[in-house]
Every structure is written in structure tokens, then in C-alpha cells.
Amino acid sequence: MEKPAPNSRRTFCKTVAKSATALAAPSLLPALSGYGHAQTSEPLRVGLQAHRTGIGASYGRWYERTSQAAVARINSNGGINGRKVELIVEDDGTDPVRGADVVRLLTNKHQCDVIFGTLFSHVVAASAPVAGELKVPYFIVSETHSLAAGEFNRYVLQPGMTDVRSQVLSMAPFISGNLGENVAIIYPDYAFGHNHRDFLTPAIEQQGGNIVAKIGVPPTETSFRSYFEQIPENTDVLYHVMVGPTIMSFIQQLGQYYENDRPEIFGFIDSLEAVDLQTPGLEFLEGTYFWEGHPRYHQAEAAEFELEYRKAVSVDLNGASTTDQHDIATFSHMYGCWETLNIIKAGMQDAFYKTKANRSDLIEAIEAMTYFPQSLDIPQGPKVFNGMTHQTFGHQYISRLENGKLQLAHTTGITDTFYPDAVDYTDYSF
Amino acid sequence: MAINLLPNAIYLDATGSGSQVYRISSRLILAVLLGASADVRAHVSESGYVLLLPTNMYISSGLIAVAATMVLVSILPATVTSYWSTPIRLPIPRSNTDMNHTTGFISFTALLLLLYAGYFGNPDPLRNALPLFFWTVFWVGLTLVQGVIGDVWQRINPWAGLHQLFYKTDRPYYQLPESVGVWPAGFLFLCFFTFYLADLAPDNPNRLATALTIYSVITITGLFVFGRQSWLSQCEFFTVFMRLLSLLAPVGRHREKLCIGYPGWKLLRNKTPSISLGIFCLLTLGSGSFDGINETFWWLHLNGINPLAYQGRSSTALNNVAGLLAFNLMLIVSFALCVKAGRTLVCRWGDNAADQKVTFIIQLSCLAMAVLPIAFAYHYAHFLTMLMVNIQYVAQLIIHPVQIARDYLDPVSIAAAHPHHVSAGFLANHETVKIIWLSQCVAVVTGHVLSAMLTHAIASTFYSSRRNTVLIQLPIAAFMLMYTYLGLWLLSSARL
């Protein structure tokens, strides 16, 4: 089990220490098949704030599939506290205004016990205050750092998905130690790209490396040569986080620019999530590295329940739908829905959840959790949960593209993803 | 650890997203602005694969094809082009059975059931029958059927069906003046597009049911007060729109006989349209075109919106309404100026100035009808991918209605359900995306080719001199070539 380094992660350790005894136990998740507190046969209502339509629809489709599969499994194992789980799906159109409406609808009209599943951070940011106002537990699966930064309230938690800051931080040791010291960052010139630039820069410098160029590309740009020309000659590693429909043109033009003499290249799979890596034009990426939240291609060393998870969510060994090999899953992100639902179940069991009056008990029960061991409930890998910041921390994966498939090259330690706490939500009132 | 989280404020200028959120409370604005500091990201849509294609080559080929058609029809003898409007009789006896009574009643019952599903059914727009049938089957699917098969809508119009139950023969209480034209239908058509483009959630079952109920009440009242004939042909915009598109279908009735001809022959046999109908045709083209423009990175950039951090429909609602109105206005004015310029050319360089007998308004109305094939092609090209995905949801609903109803009535039985995943893998594969894209391009080019041929056939009816016929078309030909470019550019550009 990973333990945080005490000298640099003082506040986080405070939380972990609180539960030191519990940490020693093999699992804080109660036996998931156990239930025995049934007071009613009414199903528990779990609201999925789904990106059914809009810019997030390709993620939303897989988030929903995964959630349906997780709920089916929970119900086939007896439900939660003797009650079946009902998944209520409301489309937020990947729109912050609708997102806030959906939280109200799921809470007031559909009488959901909890709400979960939002990915896009602008929807989260607009929905979180409403969840706090309505006092409904709101479990996000977003990667947003805003939660751990203290921007939300006590009702918002992210126990099943690591945040972008911890992901970027944990890449720095691998990049500096294995790929080279001089790093050039090329990023889309808006908040998403700025996050990567601003989180990576100090992390690389702490490892003794140098950021030799920070190249922002306007979001609507389609011709990239003039930006490639700004990459210094002494660059060892090119770190790219371009996203959107122009990403494949970007890769194609990068290949034409460098031909056979390129630096090492490191990217985030967010750029090519749900994209077939064998698409013509992407050959240039062969031998380059990617961060992955959860390896898309089944790895020989994967845990035994990985196959069971893939089967449940209908994803094959190459990360595609079992019914359509061209329908690539958003595999690096969708595990978050599966894990979050299992953590909600564990929390409800710990809190002896019966009615909506127990919502605060549920939040306290999850805040008390500190470690989720890897299992079929938590297939992506073990996680350390920080009850104060409501944020989970876990292993990150670095894969290399070999023969058109991503091969796992490195798994970071959980401690590599830690950063100082910025908030203690347990001090906030309900 | 020496990492400092930078304050969110430094990101706000870079995102520029704050100013777009105008319809929400200050608290929500704050939340959205804070959210802008986090990881909103755009996905790779099929347009990412399209950007890899040699689209410039295809655009050039399309333009050449349309230009060549224009030249060809201008030099072909009038006897050849007259075949255009001459259909061939089909050896199929005409059925005298009037089924409209029955089909109308069935479709009105279906409308009531769909409204019930909208109000009380599954809130998921892709599992609820109302949005799936309204947007996918009716708005996208039936529109295409109208242009290919003919006027199916006339037989299944639910509101007319209800009226027929009460009055087999039309019986208006008040006569709608003919001078009203189809202006009311044009206005309602724009209202519909405003709902479609700017409403926060037009596919939300409840919202859609409310909108459709309001429209049904207006339509039923109109039918009973002004009579079926007047209301349907002047105010009920779905009927006006669907009838116009059915004029493109090869099969139709001529002198009470079933005939087949070149696409658009019925349009040439149609009586001289009113100016309001001509403008309605331009509205269908303008609105359909803007529906594509509003998704492009170009449009979003023009409005100061970062497409990679798109904040959803709420952030573009007002811009889209303004854009819809402005684009339609621009299109109508440009088209009218083209007709005017054509008349000037005829006056100045035509064979005989006295040949100018047809008024400007009539010429404008008639020539505007010729844009219908373009509007139809845009409809196909724009909605093809949506149709390919959503028709799978419709199929699920049709094949497994019991299962889906059970999901809603007994949701915990969901454990056994949903093995039928809807797949959109064909939009994430370069080969299939190429095929889809080429079919869209062919549709757009064919639409313009048909339009150019119809323009020539219509212009031939204005003048006895071939020279005049060609001259009046010249500005419209240039306009259509530009529109071909616009259509193909829309298909090729980066978009949401």
C-alpha cells in the first residue's frame, strides 16, 4: 500500500493518520454483497447527469453504458441495503445552464437520493452550487481540480476519478528521468491548455528539467507549421495536449514537419480518446508516449478482474465496443462511473442509508474512507481518498504506442500524484 | 511541494467565456467562470476525419460540375430542356379510395400518445418516443421521404386528420383572405427554427411536448375557424414545407393520372407562386444553411466563442437567433438583387426590351422556387449522421417497446436490459467517414445541378429569346456557384 511522504504532504497525512487503523485493514469497502438494513422495498434513486447531447456526447454515451453496467451488477448482487438501485438519466446537453436545471430536476422531480456522473468541468462548476443549495450529494467524475482547490461545497465529492493536477504532476518524474530534460509544451491557448502548462512547468523544474518553450495555439487554428517552427532545436521532449477536431491534422502536420528526426513526444490520451490509433495519418505517433487513466489495450500484467470489467462494460481487448470494433471507448475516463457507483454503495452501507435524511451521513461515511483497494469494484487501481478535499488519488499510466497499440511503459506511484491540500470540506457545515 | 495553484482570475481573460453566459443568475455566472479554469475539452468528432481528406479537390470538382451544368443547359436546344417538365404516365390505375380519413385519425391518435410519452415518459431524449419520432422520424426522415416519394404528409397530417373526423368537407367559419398568402406559415417556420436553434433543450421530452401542445392548439383552432384548405396551405408551416418538398419527387399526379418525370417536373407544372411562397422557399434554404453555419468554428470564432471550450447551447442562443434572422434576410436580399441585376442585363443587352413582360415580383417568386433542391440536399447532408445514429434508438424503441416501457415502469429491471448498444463507430472510422462525406458532397452538388436546371427551365418561361433567358440567369448562376462553395465548405470545415 502506498503511503504519502510526511514531509511534503503534511495536511494530507493528517487525514490519512486519522484513519491509520482502518488503513491497515485489507479493505475499507464493506463486503459488497452484504445488505440487511432494508426498511423499504422502494428502489434507491441514483441520478445520472448525462452528457447525452452536445460537445460531450461521445464521452456521455460511454459514461452511461458503464453506469448501466455498474447498476446492473449492483442490483444482481442484491442492491444496496436490500434495495434495488434505479438509474435516472437526464440529459444536460453538456451545457452549464441545463446542468444546473438537471440537478434540480433529478433532486426535486425525480426525488433522487444522490446525483453523479458529470464529466465536463463547466457543467460541474455550474451544478455544484445547486447541489449544495439542495443539499444533495453530488459525485462528479470530471478530473476537474476545482473541487480540491476548494471552489465547491461539502456536497460535492470525486472519489472515483483523479484530478488533472495530480495527473500532470505525476508525469514529470517519468518525462525528466526517461525522455529528456528539455521540454517544450505545445498546448491549445485556453484554460485546458493553461492548466497543463502551469501544472507541468514547476513539476518539471522540480525534477531538474527545463521548460524550453511554451507554445500556445489558438483554438480555431488549423495550420500548425508556424507553431512547430517555435520549438527550439535543443528540445528533448515535446509535450502536446491539443484537443478537438483538428488534433489529427495537428499530428499529420507534425509528422510532415519532423519526418524522421523528431524529439521524444509525450501527450495525453484526452487528445485521442475514442479515436482509433490506427487511423491513417497517426502513424507518426508510433513510439511516442501517452498518459492514460486506464490502459485502453488489455495488458498482459493486468489484474484478473480487468477482463470481467471489460466484459461488463462491453469493451474488447483493444478498447472498442464488443459490438462495433470502430466504436472506441472513452476507456481512460469511464471507469470513474463504475468506481463511483461502487463507492456510493459502500458509503450507503457504512451510513446505513435509508432515506434522504441520511444524505449527510452518507457524505460523512465517504469522508471517513481513506483507501480503496483494487478489485472488481475499483478496477483502475487502488486509490487513496482524501476526505478533507473530497478528492481521490491513484496510479497513473504511461503507455508507448507500439505497432499501433498502446503498451504500458510505466505506472506512477500514488504518492507521485499528491499535492498540498487547499481545503478541508469537513469543516464546512451541511 | 513547491506547486502553487494559480488564482482562477488569471484564466478568465484567456477563456473569454464569461461574456457568453448572459441568461443565468450571477451566482451561476460565477460558477461558470470558475469552471472555465478547469479542463473543459473538445472531442474528436467526425469532422476531425473530414479535415484529413483532400476536401479542396472535391470542392473544386463540385464547382466545376455545377458550372458545367449551367453552361450546358444554356446551349441545349429548348426542345431538350422542355422534356424536363414533361412527365410520363405510369400504367397504374388511380385508387379512388380516400384513406386520408383513416390515416389522419390514426396519426392524430399517435400524436396524442406521443404527447403523453413526452409529458409522462422517460426523461431521456433518446429513450422517449416523442423526441425520437418528432426530430428523427418526422423532421429528418419524413422530409427526406417527401422529396423522394411524394406528399406522404398530406395523408398523415394529424391535425387535418382530426378536422376530417368532424368535417368531411371543408367548412370554414371565416375566410382567410388570399392576400395573407403564406406569410403566417413563414413566420411560424421561423419560430420553429428559433425553437430548434435557440431553445435550451428542444429534445427534452417535456419541453418538446409543451411546444407541440401549444402548436397543436393553434393549428386545431385555425383549422376549425378558417377551414382545412386555407389553414393548411397558408398557415400550417409543416404542410407548406412538406408540400413544397414533395414537388421534387419524381412520381406525382398530372391531369388525374399517376406520372413519373425528372425530379422537379411538378414544380414546373405548378401554378405561379405568390411572393410569400417564393420567400418561404428562400427561408427554407436560409434556415437550413444557417443550421450548418452555426456549428462551424468560423461562426463560433466570429462570436468570440472558443469552440474547444464550448459552453453549450445556452451560450449561443441569442447569437443563433440573430444569425438566423440576419442570414435569412441577407439571402432574400441577395437573391432579389440577383433577379434585379438579371433584369437589368436583359434591359441593357437583351434581344428586345419589350420582351420584359413578366414583373419583377413574379420572376422573383418563380425563380425562388428553384432553390428547393438545394434546401433538400442541405437537409440530407446536414442530418445524415444524426439520422444514422438516432435511427438506431428509434429501432430499439420499435423492436423493444415492452422492454423500454418496463425500464421506465419498473426501472430496477434494468439489470437485464440494454444489451443493444447504439453504435456510432462509423463516425470514428476514416473509411466510413469518407463514404458518408462523399455522399453528402454528391447530394449538395446534385441539389445545385438540379437547381441550375430548374432555374433555366423557369427563366425560359419568361422570355421568348434564348439570349434573354441566359442573361437573366447570369447573376443567379454566380449566386448559386457561391452557394455551392458555401455548402461544400460547410461540410469540410471544422465544426462542433
Side-chain angles (χ1 to χ4, degrees):
Chain A
M1 192 189 73
E2 306 280 347
K3 284 198 174 182
N7 55 348
S8 61
R9 298 161 184 104
R10 183 180 49 81
T11 357
F12 182 78
C13 271
K14 204 171 93 186
T15 317
V16 176
K18 274 186 196 168
S19 308
T21 317
L23 265 171
S27 168
L28 280 188
L29 286 177
L32 294 180
S33 57
Y35 54 92
H37 307 288
Q39 296 294 311
T40 169
S41 59
E42 279 288 298
L44 286 161
R45 295 167 82 87
V46 175
L48 172 60
Q49 187 184 29
H51 301 328
R52 261 301 202 180
T53 54
I55 195 173
S58 60
Y59 282 96
R61 196 164 48 240
W62 280 101
Y63 264 40
E64 194 194 333
R65 285 183 192 182
T66 310
S67 303
Q68 299 279 18
V71 167
R73 177 170 167 265
I74 288 171
N75 282 338
S76 67
N77 287 337
I80 301 176
N81 296 340
R83 294 161 68 185
K84 296 281 184 181
V85 175
E86 176 186 351
L87 193 69
I88 314 267
V89 183
E90 274 279 359
D91 176 31
D92 63 20
T94 329
D95 184 306
V97 177
R98 273 180 77 185
D101 286 346
V102 162
V103 171
R104 289 186 200 283
L105 268 177
L106 290 171
T107 310
N108 297 332
K109 182 182 170 195
H110 300 300
Q111 292 290 306
C112 289
D113 294 90
V114 297
I115 297 171
F116 92 108
T118 326
L119 168 66
F120 275 56
S121 54
H122 61 308
V123 183
V124 169
S127 305
V130 181
E133 179 191 315
L134 300 176
K135 301 188 184 301
V136 58
Y138 180 51
F139 295 89
I140 58 174
V141 189
S142 162
E143 296 181 324
T144 181
H145 177 65
S146 301
L147 173 66
E151 291 168 11
F152 300 147
N153 55 67
R154 193 157 183 188
Y155 286 88
V156 188
L157 303 101
Q158 188 156 232
M161 174 66 83
T162 58
D163 73 323
V164 66
R165 184 175 180 185
S166 67
Q167 293 166 3
V168 175
L169 285 185
S170 62
M171 297 300 104
F174 178 83
I175 292 171
S176 294
N178 299 278
L179 305 184
E181 290 185 344
N182 296 326
V183 181
I185 313 174
I186 189 161
Y187 55 91
D189 200 4
Y190 74 103
F192 171 69
H194 298 169
N195 270 340
H196 278 269
R197 178 195 65 193
D198 298 332
F199 293 149
L200 186 75
T201 301
I204 289 287
E205 285 167 358
Q206 197 184 35
Q207 298 293 326
N210 309 302
I211 299 293
V212 292
K214 298 174 184 177
I215 305 161
V217 179
T220 49
E221 187 59 86
T222 54
S223 177
F224 302 99
R225 191 176 176 88
S226 60
Y227 303 96
F228 299 149
E229 284 167 353
Q230 296 172 37
I231 301 169
E233 283 193 7
N234 65 340
T235 299
D236 298 320
V237 188
L238 181 65
Y239 180 101
H240 69 95
V241 282
M242 301 300 289
V243 288
T246 56
I247 176 63
M248 288 189 287
S249 309
F250 172 84
I251 301 291
Q252 202 176 44
Q253 291 174 36
L254 191 64
Q256 288 159 357
Y257 178 75
Y258 276 119
E259 294 180 348
N260 297 319
D261 185 25
R262 63 164 175 81
E264 291 286 2
I265 293 178
F266 187 97
F268 263 62
I269 200 67
D270 297 48
S271 305
L272 293 166
E273 187 75 315
V275 172
D276 187 349
L277 295 171
Q278 292 175 7
T279 299
L282 299 187
E283 302 88 352
F284 173 70
L285 291 174
E286 185 70 13
T288 71
Y289 294 85
F290 281 98
W291 165 89
E292 287 195 282
H294 194 188
R296 177 190 294 189
Y297 292 87
H298 184 66
Q299 304 294 313
E301 60 269 42
E304 73 276 11
F305 40 76
E306 171 80 9
L307 285 174
E308 209 174 326
Y309 166 71
R310 283 181 186 258
K311 189 179 169 195
V313 296
S314 306
V315 170
D316 68 14
L317 300 180
N318 295 324
S321 165
T322 49
T323 54
D324 179 358
Q325 60 169 333
H326 297 305
D327 190 2
I328 310 294
T330 56
F331 206 71
S332 270
H333 297 83
M334 58 195 257
Y335 74 87
C337 291
W338 178 277
E339 296 192 358
T340 301
L341 281 165
N342 287 320
I343 292 165
I344 290 171
K345 171 176 176 172
M348 285 185 161
Q349 289 174 334
D350 275 4
F352 304 108
Y353 187 93
K354 294 184 188 89
T355 69
K356 294 179 189 68
N358 301 120
R359 278 170 170 166
S360 55
D361 301 332
L362 168 64
I363 289 171
E364 283 179 328
I366 292 178
E367 283 173 345
M369 294 177 178
T370 51
Y371 185 68
F372 309 128
Q374 190 175 24
S375 66
L376 183 53
D377 293 325
I378 309 290
Q380 186 263 355
K383 293 188 178 59
V384 170
F385 183 66
N386 185 337
M388 292 197 299
T389 62
H390 285 190
Q391 178 59 53
T392 211
F393 295 83
H395 293 295
Q396 306 297 323
Y397 301 97
I398 296 169
S399 302
R400 186 169 186 265
L401 195 64
E402 294 172 6
N403 300 318
K405 292 187 173 184
L406 287 164
Q407 288 295 327
L408 186 61
H410 177 71
T411 303
T412 73
I414 296 180
T415 52
D416 292 339
T417 69
F418 290 162
Y419 51 80
D421 294 349
V423 64
D424 184 354
Y425 285 115
T426 61
D427 286 344
Y428 289 36
S429 61
F430 280 111
Chain B
M1 196 175 285
I3 293 179
N4 296 314
L5 178 68
L6 293 170
N8 287 301
I10 70 160
Y11 299 127
L12 298 182
D13 288 340
T15 64
S17 58
S19 62
Q20 302 305 324
V21 187
Y22 36 75
R23 289 177 49 187
I24 48 182
S25 68
S26 58
R27 187 172 179 185
L28 205 51
I29 288 172
L30 179 66
V32 171
L33 292 179
L34 288 173
S37 69
D39 56 324
V40 176
R41 87 215 67 192
H43 65 297
V44 178
S45 61
E46 74 272 17
S47 89
Y49 295 88
V50 171
L51 291 173
L52 296 176
L53 298 172
T55 50
N56 284 340
M57 187 182 80
Y58 295 122
I59 290 175
S60 309
S61 310
L63 287 170
I64 291 168
V66 176
T69 308
M70 289 166 172
V71 174
L72 197 65
V73 291
S74 302
I75 56 174
L76 280 175
T79 46
V80 175
T81 50
S82 69
Y83 281 122
W84 189 252
S85 58
T86 314
I88 306 164
R89 263 183 65 186
L90 285 172
I92 301 169
R94 188 192 169 194
S95 163
N96 286 323
T97 317
D98 182 10
M99 293 290 289
N100 292 7
H101 191 75
T102 315
T103 52
F105 172 70
I106 292 171
S107 61
F108 184 72
T109 312
L111 174 68
L112 290 180
L113 288 173
L114 287 173
L115 286 175
Y116 179 82
Y119 283 118
F120 305 106
N122 196 322
D124 183 345
L126 296 177
R127 289 209 172 272
N128 188 296
L130 179 65
L132 281 175
F133 273 88
F134 182 78
W135 291 116
T136 306
V137 177
F138 170 70
W139 177 241
V140 177
L142 186 66
T143 303
L144 296 177
V145 168
Q146 288 285 119
V148 176
I149 308 285
D151 201 355
V152 177
W153 172 245
Q154 178 213 345
R155 294 178 182 277
I156 60 168
N157 184 333
W159 304 294
L162 176 75
H163 190 260
Q164 274 189 324
L165 277 182
F166 290 89
Y167 303 111
K168 193 155 174 62
T169 51
D170 204 4
R171 199 181 297 170
Y173 285 99
Y174 297 101
Q175 201 66 45
L176 204 61
E178 203 153 308
S179 59
V180 169
V182 298
W183 294 115
F187 171 74
L188 289 169
F189 184 78
L190 279 179
C191 292
F192 167 73
F193 252 88
T194 302
F195 172 72
Y196 164 64
L197 287 176
D199 184 81
L200 203 52
D203 49 3
N204 176 280
N206 216 303
R207 294 170 85 101
L208 181 58
T210 307
L212 212 48
T213 304
I214 293 169
Y215 186 69
S216 296
V217 170
I218 294 171
T219 306
I220 291 165
T221 311
L223 284 169
F224 279 92
V225 174
F226 297 106
R228 206 157 54 233
Q229 177 60 33
S230 300
W231 190 263
L232 291 182
S233 58
Q234 292 179 269
C235 305
E236 207 285 280
F237 72 92
F238 285 125
T239 302
V240 177
F241 177 68
M242 292 290 182
R243 266 186 198 165
L244 282 172
L245 290 185
S246 74
L247 296 176
L248 300 174
V251 177
R253 294 202 180 282
H254 179 52
R255 292 176 185 158
E256 298 302 307
K257 305 287 182 200
L258 202 60
C259 299
I260 187 165
Y262 290 103
W265 69 268
K266 286 186 278 184
L267 201 145
L268 297 173
R269 293 264 166 193
N270 213 29
K271 63 177 185 180
T272 306
S274 65
I275 181 66
S276 57
L277 194 62
I279 299 295
F280 190 96
C281 291
L282 293 174
L283 286 179
T284 62
L285 177 63
S287 305
S289 309
F290 182 74
D291 189 22
I293 290 170
N294 75 329
E295 292 175 354
T296 60
F297 279 22
W298 174 82
W299 171 257
L300 294 166
H301 182 65
L302 196 70
N303 286 280
I305 293 166
N306 175 2
L308 300 185
Y310 179 59
Q311 301 284 316
R313 291 174 67 92
S314 63
S315 64
T316 49
L318 279 184
N319 304 37
N320 282 350
V321 175
L324 175 72
L325 297 177
F327 189 80
N328 273 310
L329 187 66
M330 239 165 56
L331 179 70
I332 292 166
V333 170
S334 309
F335 197 85
L337 286 176
C338 285
V339 176
K340 196 83 183 160
R343 286 171 68 85
T344 311
L345 290 178
V346 172
C347 273
R348 194 162 291 180
W349 289 293
D351 276 341
N352 179 3
D355 202 15
Q356 190 117 304
K357 289 169 191 159
V358 186
T359 66
F360 164 70
I361 293 294
I362 290 176
Q363 283 186 338
L364 174 61
S365 314
C366 292
L367 289 168
M369 298 285 281
V371 303
L372 284 174
I374 308 178
F376 182 71
Y378 273 38
H379 189 87
Y380 168 84
H382 183 67
F383 288 112
L384 178 62
T385 53
M386 177 270 215
L387 183 67
M388 290 170 82
V389 175
N390 283 11
I391 205 73
Q392 297 178 62
Y393 287 102
V394 176
Q396 282 188 5
L397 202 65
I398 293 169
I399 296 166
H400 306 284
V402 177
Q403 179 174 300
I404 287 171
R406 190 189 60 189
D407 286 355
Y408 190 68
L409 298 171
D410 177 17
V412 290
S413 69
I414 218 161
H418 306 298
H420 319 284
H421 288 163
V422 165
S423 189
F426 51 83
L427 298 178
N429 175 269
H430 64 284
E431 286 299 334
T432 44
V433 166
K434 186 177 175 183
I435 294 167
I436 291 167
W437 191 83
L438 283 174
S439 92
Q440 291 168 314
C441 273
V442 167
V444 168
V445 171
T446 308
H448 284 84
V449 164
L450 280 177
S451 201
M453 294 167 83
L454 283 172
T455 304
H456 180 80
I458 292 168
S460 307
T461 63
F462 299 151
Y463 303 106
S464 53
S465 146
R466 169 181 289 267
R467 186 185 172 87
N468 288 0
T469 305
V470 172
L471 281 173
I472 189 148
Q473 283 180 76
L474 279 179
I476 298 175
F479 171 86
M480 281 189 177
L481 276 176
M482 281 193 285
Y483 223 87
T484 311
Y485 180 79
L486 171 73
L488 296 175
W489 172 81
L490 276 176
L491 288 176
S492 320
S493 62
R495 60 183 187 275
L496 288 175

